[in-house]
């Protein structure tokens, strides 16, 4: 049988946990703040849970990346939509003369800066 | 060896200074310095295996906007300028509940381009999501083809003119690693004053073909020639209009330096290149800059740099925090894209509108630039460098063929007029062929007059100048007004020649004693008398008679 009947994972050692700078990088890429040691522990559990997939032997099996069974539909090159600027701009909180407004790309502040900012917040 | 490298960078410094004081000559000087110092020298050095010179290595990543009516995955229009956010559908704005639907025309365009570049077309290709956060990417990811693109493993063959007279056609190849279909992002306008970014999604979702090339090139001139050839191919196919200044063709250059035989050096990415000329300059500057860095013992930073056309330098761009992790994942909303080899391999009962057949597309390919050049050489007996110039300049080939229709003069004698006289004047005045004040018919008329013996070649050049100065007048009018017609009246010529012979007894002696070259001097004097209108053949005969 390919799937073992009893869990075969072992506890992950401290050294094997993702290093702090890797966590920083993940936080910046996903714009998620793991914030506390509890958050990190949660991340570790999630990674370990997903790691169970490695226990399954998938050699020779093509990964399935879509549940779609129909062939890809090809569309003709005629204009059928667009021209709804008003409707779309109406969804945005801030617009300037028919442009959407986005704050400039500021990278996520470092952990120290964030702690300083959130010192007085309830979280 | 190190010394000549220093000389090279010093020379670049000097040319920069010269170009500061004499701005018009800068273009000229820079062209000479790049072509002579960079490519030729580097090629010489490459063959000498004992050499320790640093050479540049250039790889290009090209994004070509697909010439289609609608976007890649939505039915909104593709147009260059339109009111902001007026060409945006719900999918392009990435509103929840929308799904991508692939545009057939984009698939055909990718297959056509792949075939023109001798690629292998993957019958089954896949779509992926590439994640990164940026305000002009509303979904937070771009749909692209990272795992299995639609075309792989091709070759772009390009040429450029080299040598002292730019008469040698050098042919090179670049390996095309892959061609993939992907979405374009929107446009962001940075308002630093109010610290905000304005987003226009008109361009978001437009189909792009990303062409990834191997780092087979060594300098700006090669890269520029390769991009020019690609532009011509894409324009001939109609898959991309190739206008770099409008952003239809975007080129990023990966530049590094190393010693031949050693592993490749750290590369920098040069972006913001919106013309072929800037591309060549930026690459050459970057190569020189990196050589300088390495020679000072420092390390080249792996960074993104932008080209500043005013200073001619590359400057670091927004820092990218080291390597990005795009977290590629398969696009779950799109099944694999299947294209069929030929009609025989079509599954039964399939709707023809749903089947892209490679064989059909192959048979429908238009004439590619390389084939066109060959045809010109075959049809008109031109030299390769001439047909290269004809195809390289927009509209010049058509101009030449029009002229040929209007005159019986040999193509080889006409080509010089088109590639030197006409093109030279156009370039000086910064005009395109379509803006030429002299029409093909007018030039043909002038050449026909020369061919039929009405005017001499030197007069033809004079009349040509006049045609530029007064565009309304035809050649025939000018000839009549200024009485420039060829003098073939034998009696008149005899008397003029006699006059010249009589007034130059020393020269006549020299000729009689065997120095026939002096005949040319007498010929020159006769031409001066007749203001260049004498029939040279007749005059030569008469002079020979009189001095024998």
């Amino acid at each position: 049988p390919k799937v073992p009947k009893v869990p075969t994972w072992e506890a992950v050692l401290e050294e094997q946990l993702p290093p702090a700078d890797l966590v920083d990088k993940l936080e910046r890429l996903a714009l998620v703040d793991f914030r506390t040691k509890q958050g990190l522990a949660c991340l570790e559990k999630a990674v370990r849970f997903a790691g169970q997939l490695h226990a399954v032997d998938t050699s020779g099996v093509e990964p399935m990346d879509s549940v779609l069974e129909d062939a890809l539909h090809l569309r003709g090159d005629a204009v059928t939509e667009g021209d709804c600027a008003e409707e779309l701009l109406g969804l945005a909180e801030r617009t300037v003369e028919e442009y959407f407004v986005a704050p400039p790309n500021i990278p996520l502040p470092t952990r120290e800066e964030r702690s300083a900012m959130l010192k007085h917040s309830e979280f | 060896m190190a010394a000549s490298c220093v000389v090279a960078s010093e020379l670049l410094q000097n040319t920069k200074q010269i170009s500061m004081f004499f701005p018009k000559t800068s273009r000229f000087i820079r062209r000479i310095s790049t072509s002579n110092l960079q490519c030729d020298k580097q090629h010489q050095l490459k063959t000498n295996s004992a050499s320790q010179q640093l050479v540049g290595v250039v790889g290009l990543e090209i994004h070509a906007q697909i010439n289609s009516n609608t976007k890649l995955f939505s039915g909104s229009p593709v147009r260059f300028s339109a009111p902001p956010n007026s060409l945006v559908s719900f999918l392009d704005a990435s509103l929840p509940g929308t799904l991508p639907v692939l545009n057939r025309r984009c698939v055909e365009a990718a297959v056509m381009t792949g075939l023109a570049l001798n690629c292998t077309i993957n019958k089954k290709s896949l779509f992926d999501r590439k994640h990164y956060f940026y305000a002009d990417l509303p979904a937070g990811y771009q749909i692209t083809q990272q795992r299995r693109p639609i075309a792989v493993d091709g070759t772009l063959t390009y040429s450029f003119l080299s040598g002292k007279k730019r008469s040698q056609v050098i042919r090179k190849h670049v390996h095309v690693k892959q061609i993939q279909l992907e979405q374009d992002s929107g446009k962001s306008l940075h308002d630093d004053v109010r610290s905000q970014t304005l987003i226009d999604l008109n361009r978001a979702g437009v189909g792009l073909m990303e062409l990834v090339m191997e780092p087979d090139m060594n300098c700006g001139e090669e890269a520029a020639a390769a991009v020019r050839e690609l532009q011509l191919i894409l324009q001939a196919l109609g898959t991309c209009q190739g206008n770099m200044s409008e952003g239809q063709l975007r080129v990023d250059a990966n530049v590094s330096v190393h010693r031949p035989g050693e592993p490749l050096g750290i590369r920098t990415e040069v972006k913001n290149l919106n013309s072929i000329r800037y591309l060549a300059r930026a690459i050459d500057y970057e190569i020189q800059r990196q050589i300088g860095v390495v020679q000072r013992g420092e390390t080249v930073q792996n960074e993104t740099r932008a080209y500043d056309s005013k200073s001619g330098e590359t400057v670091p761009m927004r820092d990218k925090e080291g390597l990005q992790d795009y977290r590629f994942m398969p696009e779950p909303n799109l099944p694999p894209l299947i294209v069929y080899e030929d009609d025989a391999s079509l599954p039964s009962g399939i709707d023809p509108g749903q089947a892209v057949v490679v064989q059909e597309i192959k048979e429908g390919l238009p004439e590619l630039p390389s084939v066109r050049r060959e045809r010109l050489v075959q049809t008109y007996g031109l030299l390769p460098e001439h047909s290269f110039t004809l195809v390289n300049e927009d509209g010049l080939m058509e101009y030449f063929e029009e002229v040929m229709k209007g005159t019986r003069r040999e193509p080889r004698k006409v080509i010089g007029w088109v590639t030197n006289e006409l093109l030279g004047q156009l370039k000086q005045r910064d005009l395109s062929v379509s803006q030429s004040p002299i029409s093909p018919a007018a030039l043909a008329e002038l050449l026909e007059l020369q061919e039929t013996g009405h005017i001499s070649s030197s007069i033809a050049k004079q009349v040509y100048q006049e045609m530029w100065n007064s565009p309304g007048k035809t050649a025939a009018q000018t000839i009549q007004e200024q009485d420039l017609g060829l003098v073939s009246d034998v009696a008149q010529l005899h008397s003029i020649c006699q006059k010249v012979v009589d007034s130059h007894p020393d020269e006549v002696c020299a000729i009689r004693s065997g120095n026939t070259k002096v005949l040319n001097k007498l010929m020159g004097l006769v031409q001066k008398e007749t203001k260049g209108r004498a029939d040279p053949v007749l005059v030569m005969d008469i002079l020979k008679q009189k001095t024998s």
Side-chain angles (χ1 to χ4, degrees), chain B residues 480-523:
Chain B
Q480 192 163 44
E481 279 173 24
Q482 296 185 22
D483 194 21
L484 299 169
L486 204 62
V487 174
S488 314
D489 180 341
V490 181
Q492 197 183 359
L493 284 177
H494 258 279
S495 66
I496 298 175
C497 289
Q498 193 62 55
K499 215 168 51 173
V500 168
V501 163
D502 291 340
S503 52
H504 294 84
D506 297 328
E507 282 76 4
V508 175
C509 266
I511 295 169
R512 288 206 175 122
S513 49
N515 187 354
T516 46
K517 281 204 185 137
V518 186
L519 268 173
N520 290 333
K521 181 171 173 195
L522 291 183
M523 165 82 98

Side-chain angles (χ1 to χ4, degrees), chain A residues 25 28-29 65-66 68 72-75 77-81 83-85 87 94 98 100-102 104-105, chain B residues 69-71 74-75 85-86 88 101-104 133-134 147 195-199 321 324 327 330 354:
Chain A
K25 194 172 183 195
R28 264 182 288 130
L29 283 176
D65 43 44
S66 174
L68 301 168
L72 179 59
H73 177 82
L74 295 174
R75 178 178 50 87
D77 196 22
V79 175
T80 54
E81 42 191 350
D83 199 22
C84 48
E87 215 177 328
R94 281 180 66 202
E98 297 183 339
F100 292 104
V101 177
N105 270 1
Chain B
N69 297 328
T70 57
K71 297 184 180 177
S74 71
N85 293 306
S86 61
V88 186
V101 186
L102 183 56
N103 180 345
R104 188 205 160 94
F133 287 112
Y134 205 71
R147 280 172 300 161
S195 216
Q196 60 190 18
T197 306
L198 303 179
I199 307 290
E321 314 147 24
Q324 273 275 34
R327 294 169 290 152
Q354 288 300 308

Side-chain angles (χ1 to χ4, degrees), chain B residues 270-511:
Chain B
V270 184
K271 293 172 103 85
N272 193 31
L273 304 161
N274 41 27
S275 84
I276 294 191
R277 199 185 300 161
Y278 291 164
L279 169 72
R281 286 193 205 163
I283 289 175
D284 288 329
Y285 174 86
E286 183 61 17
I287 291 175
Q288 285 305 313
R289 187 192 72 87
Q290 288 193 16
I291 288 179
V293 164
V294 170
Q295 284 180 332
R296 285 197 300 273
E298 297 159 15
T299 33
V300 178
Q301 300 278 0
N302 176 357
E303 58 184 350
T304 309
R305 297 178 76 90
Y307 179 67
D308 176 8
S309 50
K310 290 202 199 90
S311 63
E313 301 178 345
T314 60
V315 293
M317 251 174 105
R318 49 163 219 268
D319 71 321
K320 268 182 149 185
E321 314 147 24
L323 254 72
Q324 273 275 34
D325 177 5
Y326 293 113
R327 294 169 290 152
F328 284 100
M329 71 177 243
E331 168 57 61
N333 293 324
L334 292 170
L337 169 61
I338 312 284
V339 298
Y340 300 96
E341 176 63 47
D342 48 29
D343 287 331
S345 51
L346 286 175
S348 57
I350 191 172
D351 172 9
Q354 288 300 308
V356 173
V357 183
V358 176
Q359 187 64 29
E360 267 176 41
I361 295 180
K362 205 180 213 168
E363 284 162 10
L365 285 179
E367 187 183 50
L368 293 177
S370 52
V371 175
R372 188 172 291 183
R373 279 184 210 116
E374 194 48 43
R375 178 170 63 80
L376 287 172
V377 168
Q378 294 300 328
T379 316
Y380 297 106
L382 300 173
L383 293 171
E385 62 255 30
H386 295 147
S387 78
F388 179 81
T389 309
L390 282 183
V391 173
N392 207 39
E393 295 295 331
D394 282 325
L396 198 61
M397 182 190 80
E398 288 79 4
Y399 192 100
F400 172 74
E401 297 199 286
E402 267 306 304
V403 171
M404 287 311 302
K405 282 191 201 153
T407 173
R408 281 164 291 170
R409 204 163 170 79
E410 252 178 59
R412 283 212 184 197
K413 291 190 186 165
V414 174
I415 191 70
W417 282 92
V418 174
T419 55
N420 296 335
E421 265 77 29
L422 178 77
L423 197 59
Q425 293 276 8
L426 288 174
K427 291 274 180 207
Q428 256 187 19
R429 290 150 215 243
D430 204 19
L431 294 172
S432 68
V433 175
S434 51
Q435 293 168 311
S436 165
I438 302 186
S439 69
L443 183 58
E445 187 195 358
L446 174 65
L447 295 176
E448 191 62 8
L449 285 167
Q450 190 187 349
E451 182 70 5
T452 51
H454 279 96
I455 46 171
S456 67
S457 57
S458 49
I459 288 292
K461 291 217 163 78
Q462 215 179 310
V463 175
Y464 180 72
Q465 268 306 118
E466 188 59 34
M467 284 163 79
W468 269 93
N469 298 337
S470 7
K473 276 199 220 154
T474 65
Q477 280 176 318
T478 310
I479 291 169
Q480 192 163 44
E481 279 173 24
Q482 296 185 22
D483 194 21
L484 299 169
L486 204 62
V487 174
S488 314
D489 180 341
V490 181
Q492 197 183 359
L493 284 177
H494 258 279
S495 66
I496 298 175
C497 289
Q498 193 62 55
K499 215 168 51 173
V500 168
V501 163
D502 291 340
S503 52
H504 294 84
D506 297 328
E507 282 76 4
V508 175
C509 266
I511 295 169

Side-chain angles (χ1 to χ4, degrees), chain B residues 183-231:
Chain B
Q183 289 174 307
D184 206 348
S185 64
K187 274 212 185 117
S188 45
L189 289 95
H190 297 284
D191 183 358
D192 293 316
V193 170
R194 280 178 227 108
S195 216
Q196 60 190 18
T197 306
L198 303 179
I199 307 290
D200 174 13
L201 295 176
N202 281 347
R203 204 185 64 180
V206 172
L208 294 177
M209 292 181 287
E210 177 171 341
L211 292 96
V212 182
M213 311 216 176
E214 296 287 0
D216 294 337
M217 292 172 283
N218 298 106
C219 64
E221 188 180 19
E222 289 182 2
V227 172
R228 178 69 187 132
E229 184 67 11
L230 182 67
Q231 228 181 11

Side-chain angles (χ1 to χ4, degrees), chain A residues 3-47:
Chain A
V3 180
K5 296 208 161 113
V6 171
T8 54
W9 54 263
E10 289 130 14
V12 178
L13 300 169
E14 190 70 40
E15 302 89 63
Q16 287 176 308
L17 278 176
D21 58 338
L22 179 61
V23 174
D24 269 334
K25 194 172 183 195
L26 286 172
E27 288 179 327
R28 264 182 288 130
L29 283 176
L31 294 183
V32 172
D33 186 349
F34 293 112
R35 207 158 303 177
T36 57
K37 233 187 163 71
Q38 276 179 317
L40 268 179
C42 189
L43 171 66
E44 186 236 340
K45 285 198 197 106
V47 171

Side-chain angles (χ1 to χ4, degrees), chain B residues 99-115:
Chain B
L99 289 172
V101 186
L102 183 56
N103 180 345
R104 188 205 160 94
R105 159 71 183 156
C106 294
V107 179
E108 290 170 349
V111 172
M112 275 173 86
T113 308
L115 289 172

